[in-house]
Amino acid sequence: MRLLPPARRRAVAGVILPLLLGAMVVRELDARHATGTTRVAGPSAVAFMQVVAHPDDDLYFLNPDLLQSVRSGAPVTTVYVTAGEANGQNVAPGRPAVATDHAGYIAARHAGLRRAYAQMATGNPNAVWTRGVLPTMEGPVESDTLGKRPNVRLVFLNTGNWRGSDGRMRRLMGLWERRVERLRTRPALGSPVGKPTSYTRAELIAQLDELMRRFHPSVIRTLDPAPERGTDQKGFEHRTDHPDHTATALMTREAARRYQKQVTGPVVTEYYRGYYNRHWPANLGPGAFQAKMSFIRTYGWADKGRFPCREPGGCGDLRTGDSGDRNGWPQSTHPRYTGSTRWMQPQADGRLVAFAVVSDRVTRWEQDRPGGGWRPGVPMPDPGFVSDLDVARLPDGRLAVFGLRVLRTAALTRPRYQIMYARQDRPNGPFGDWRDLGNPAGSTMVREHDAGAPVTAVDGAGRIAVFSRNSGQGVSVRYQNADQTFGPWIDLGGRRVQDGLTAGTDASGRIEVFGAAVPAWAEWRWNRQPGTPSLWHWRQPASGRPLEGPGAWTPTEVGATGPLTMVRDGRGRLSLVARQVGGPGTLVFRQRTPDGAWPDRPVSLPGPGGVGPVGAVEPSGAAGGGPLLVGRDASGGVGVSAGGARWQDAPGLFMHAPATVVDGQGGVVTAVLDPLGRLRVTRPYTSSGSGVDTARWQWQTVGVRAPGDS
């Protein structure tokens, strides 16, 4: 197969393409784009970009967030890096083999995607699309737009798998690791991009960067750059995700870094776990799961024969067909770097301060006075942060913020993963420089990637304990010493613990830590969770003393999944809040007495649906008693409940998890990060007994200070 010369040495412009495939109109798209040498305007309106490896990764791993974005009406662009040609046979499992046709199978997968997105956007999977050529500096790519929603776009780069003369396969991960110098593309049958091209690693990253600069996403989503580690039946250790997923995520992260440096507006980046979804508890309720499956079935051409298919390669991926849930992937959606709901806290003088990762940096917002307005966010020094954040409040009122940072090195394939913190040197004062707490893996670089988002607690002696999930799927801790330095990382044990830990301090000043997990001794089946998902629990023997491993496996009668949240009420009792496995409900485990035992059966409360941690506070005079709960609802907005009753919704999408605290005036304040990287705050609860009332929700939106503003 003859390759085209490198893209930078050819002009791509002005080609008028004929009509293809009946109603499919092919047209050329505008080739203008920024050169990347100067800063350009950042996103001024919400726009979403997904970058995934294979056709269907977005449907399996990013939904329902993808569906919510499409239905918001905002521009949505999804970029597929590989062709996903597999063995080139579009045939259902168990059916007789058909002739190998790589271009035809690629075309069928693309057709299935167009039908799934049309169903998400319009309700009609057979809505008309426009297929076109998008000229770029790295060569033309296919770009398809939905006729009734032209701001819904699919872009196909179509890198392929190729066997070299030495018999070895050339794949995307080899390109990332520079074991493969160039990777050729495979155009789909009937594609307006008729000829193959090729990419080096640098060119593919530049291609992604150019697409970001062209479509100005305010939110970038991709797959897991550091997937779970596991062992196969022979005992060999390996990553448990597809290497194409990992390579795509790593190249997207690098492209996003470049994009964020070139634009003036804030950008939010999100990462999602891939194949490992099938090993963790199902965290989608029945409605969300069925909606997700409906789009996967449409992609899989499960309705074959019920409509006229005019696509030359077929109208979907028959290898998926009607059985897309048998692999265990669609039952869950798990962000990779999940943190706590404690990223907003009151300072010593009562002013609230909030932290979030925006454009690769930690941004800090604070009130101008207790109960007052908010100042624009200020990016803190040093880039590379990827996790949600946890904020610890020290006994003297000082705050310390903790997060996970990926330090880019000269060798892109060997980044360093560091848990970092910055603290106020005095109450209400500025935050000092970031300090490195290292990694539970120590100097073992291959295991550094496994570090989880840090969570913290401060014991009765005023010392901070920092917890992180480790490469053994257990929990590690690092304690603050009396001189405010930190000791070494200590492995506390635990097995098959999910990321999304929580820690709190009881009435006696002892720290308690929980992590959601699946039974360590149950048979691990590849397509479903083993046994009832429950909890690992650690309790500090006394304030000022270290916690001790290996922790206690705590079975629960109702399946619990993380991320978890812990809160203490006015009597000193702790409550643990979890999502219910496979359902929209919320679970609350409450100590019977301060410092007392925990029940094995939680109180099951109606839930708002959605995924992610449910924030909790114990406001004085709360109507109905119990914690005020705040979490993501099934539509991607904010759901709030006083004591589990009367869940109320505040519509509109937000990113990551909400934070909710009691401020210095005794009122509850809830904050979210919106898709433009802005802080939005409200008071969803009144202590007068009126309960939660959406009519009272008056959001204040606070942006980020522009470069050069004083």
Side-chain angles (χ1 to χ4, degrees):
M1 183 179 294
R2 180 178 177 271
L3 299 182
L4 294 178
R8 290 191 178 89
R9 295 199 296 268
R10 62 179 182 267
V12 182
V15 180
I16 306 299
L17 296 167
L19 297 180
L20 292 177
L21 309 179
M24 293 287 192
V25 181
V26 182
R27 62 185 176 84
E28 186 186 34
L29 303 175
D30 185 7
R32 293 173 296 174
H33 64 280
T35 64
T37 58
T38 59
R39 291 179 68 88
V40 297
S44 58
V46 175
F48 298 90
M49 176 177 282
Q50 292 70 227
V51 184
V52 296
H54 308 120
D56 76 7
D57 288 343
D58 43 347
L59 304 180
Y60 273 116
F61 308 122
L62 275 57
N63 254 339
D65 292 357
L66 172 62
L67 171 64
Q68 294 161 1
S69 302
V70 170
R71 290 186 173 173
S72 74
V76 173
T77 301
T78 301
V79 180
Y80 302 90
V81 175
T82 78
E85 70 271 37
N87 65 0
Q89 297 184 16
N90 192 19
V91 60
R95 305 292 294 176
V98 298
T100 297
D101 179 3
H102 288 113
Y105 181 50
I106 295 165
R109 299 191 76 174
H110 292 184
L113 289 170
R114 287 191 290 268
R115 297 188 68 235
Y117 272 76
Q119 182 183 352
M120 284 190 280
T122 71
N124 176 16
N126 297 315
V128 175
W129 286 74
T130 298
R131 295 176 65 180
V133 176
L134 182 67
T136 73
M137 291 291 291
E138 303 304 328
V141 296
E142 180 175 345
S143 176
D144 301 349
T145 56
L146 181 59
K148 291 185 177 180
R149 280 281 307 279
N151 63 358
V152 175
R153 183 187 303 269
L154 307 181
V155 177
F156 301 102
L157 305 187
N158 285 338
T159 62
N161 295 328
W162 301 93
R163 192 172 298 279
S165 58
D166 57 2
R168 297 180 179 179
M169 292 298 295
R170 271 58 171 164
R171 303 179 188 272
L172 193 64
M173 182 57 80
L175 191 71
W176 168 254
E177 294 177 343
R178 307 200 82 164
R179 292 181 285 104
V180 174
E181 183 176 352
R182 280 191 171 273
L183 200 61
R184 290 183 290 170
T185 63
R186 290 185 184 268
L189 179 66
S191 171
V193 179
K195 295 182 180 180
T197 183
S198 66
Y199 290 101
T200 65
R201 182 179 77 174
E203 289 168 353
L204 186 51
I205 293 171
Q207 179 73 281
L208 296 175
D209 174 28
E210 181 178 346
L211 291 171
M212 292 173 190
R213 286 185 281 111
R214 182 185 296 267
F215 297 117
H216 291 279
S218 61
V219 176
I220 298 171
R221 297 181 174 123
T222 190
L223 300 166
D224 187 351
E228 299 274 10
R229 184 181 300 278
T231 55
D232 59 24
Q233 293 180 344
K234 297 181 180 180
F236 293 108
E237 189 174 73
H238 59 91
R239 297 286 176 183
T240 54
D241 204 1
H242 197 297
D244 287 352
H245 295 176
T246 310
T248 295
L250 291 166
M251 285 193 252
T252 303
R253 186 169 70 189
E254 179 62 22
R257 283 175 171 169
R258 299 181 185 185
Y259 168 64
Q260 289 166 166
K261 288 180 179 179
Q262 297 172 79
V263 299
T264 57
V267 180
V268 181
T269 305
E270 297 185 311
Y271 303 90
Y272 293 78
R273 293 193 185 276
Y275 286 174
Y276 218 79
N277 271 0
R278 63 192 178 199
H279 293 312
W280 290 132
N283 64 356
L284 295 182
F289 169 67
Q290 289 302 327
K292 189 173 183 178
M293 279 305 306
S294 72
F295 308 123
I296 292 173
R297 292 188 184 102
T298 296
Y299 161 79
W301 201 7
D303 53 355
K304 183 179 181 182
R306 302 176 199 167
F307 67 97
C309 176
R310 297 184 176 90
E311 296 280 357
C315 286
D317 183 359
L318 292 174
R319 293 163 64 94
T320 297
D322 194 29
S323 60
D325 58 338
R326 294 181 184 175
N327 49 35
W329 301 334
Q331 288 85 344
S332 301
T333 298
H334 289 289
R336 172 61 178 91
Y337 296 109
T338 184
S340 76
T341 60
R342 299 183 304 191
W343 48 271
M344 178 172 63
Q345 293 291 338
Q347 300 190 90
D349 62 5
R351 291 181 301 135
L352 296 178
V353 60
F355 302 84
V357 177
V358 178
S359 296
D360 220 21
R361 296 175 184 268
V362 174
T363 296
R364 184 185 82 251
W365 293 266
E366 64 181 17
Q367 287 180 308
D368 53 15
R369 66 185 186 281
W374 288 77
R375 298 167 179 160
V378 178
M380 297 175 68
D382 300 327
F385 284 86
V386 293
S387 72
D388 289 355
L389 305 166
D390 191 72
V391 181
R393 196 164 191 266
L394 305 180
D396 62 1
R398 289 181 301 151
L399 300 179
V401 57
F402 295 77
L404 180 65
R405 182 187 181 203
V406 182
L407 180 62
R408 186 183 185 276
T409 64
L412 290 182
T413 56
R414 296 178 67 84
R416 305 304 303 269
Y417 287 69
Q418 305 164 308
I419 292 176
M420 309 289 292
Y421 81 105
R423 69 174 178 228
Q424 291 175 310
D425 293 329
R426 64 180 186 279
N428 310 314
F431 284 78
D433 294 336
W434 289 107
R435 307 184 189 194
D436 185 5
L437 289 177
N439 189 295
S443 59
T444 309
M445 287 187 63
V446 71
R447 294 181 178 273
E448 280 189 4
H449 300 199
D450 301 314
V455 298
T456 62
V458 180
D459 69 11
R463 297 186 185 181
I464 303 172
V466 184
F467 302 92
S468 172
R469 182 174 177 271
N470 58 38
S471 61
Q473 296 182 0
V475 175
S476 293
V477 63
R478 195 168 182 186
Y479 300 106
Q480 187 181 40
N481 299 318
D483 62 359
Q484 298 193 359
T485 62
F486 280 82
W489 285 101
I490 300 170
D491 191 340
L492 293 177
R495 294 284 303 280
R496 295 183 184 171
V497 179
Q498 282 184 273
D499 206 2
L501 311 173
T502 190
T505 307
D506 67 17
S508 299
R510 296 180 303 176
I511 294 173
E512 303 217 28
V513 185
F514 283 93
V518 293
W521 48 85
E523 180 183 0
W524 192 306
R525 300 187 181 184
W526 71 276
N527 64 343
R528 68 172 185 260
Q529 299 84 28
T532 301
S534 298
L535 303 167
W536 275 92
H537 179 210
W538 292 263
R539 173 179 279 178
Q540 192 178 23
S543 180
R545 291 181 56 187
L547 279 80
E548 299 171 355
W553 168 252
T554 307
T556 58
E557 294 186 19
V558 180
T561 182
L564 307 174
T565 302
M566 206 181 315
V567 62
R568 191 168 78 184
D569 67 13
R571 295 173 52 190
R573 294 183 304 169
L574 293 174
S575 292
L576 177 70
V577 183
R579 296 272 190 176
Q580 183 175 345
V581 171
T586 303
L587 306 178
V588 178
F589 301 82
R590 184 186 285 268
Q591 285 181 322
R592 297 182 178 91
T593 60
D595 306 331
W598 291 87
D600 60 359
R601 184 172 185 83
V603 176
S604 296
L605 304 174
V611 297
V614 177
V617 292
E618 291 274 4
S620 59
L628 175 73
L629 305 177
V630 181
R632 180 188 295 272
D633 66 19
S635 68
V638 182
V640 176
S641 171
R646 294 184 61 232
W647 279 94
Q648 301 288 333
D649 300 324
L653 299 183
F654 70 91
M655 305 291 103
H656 309 311
T660 187
V661 297
V662 177
D663 67 9
Q665 298 178 326
V668 173
V669 177
T670 291
V672 299
L673 185 70
D674 79 2
L676 279 171
R678 303 174 303 184
L679 184 74
R680 300 193 72 210
V681 291
T682 187
R683 294 180 178 272
Y685 179 83
T686 60
S687 58
S688 62
S690 59
V692 180
D693 183 355
T694 54
R696 297 176 180 271
W697 290 28
Q698 296 183 356
W699 292 93
Q700 179 185 357
T701 301
V702 193
V704 178
R705 182 180 297 171
D709 287 357
S710 57

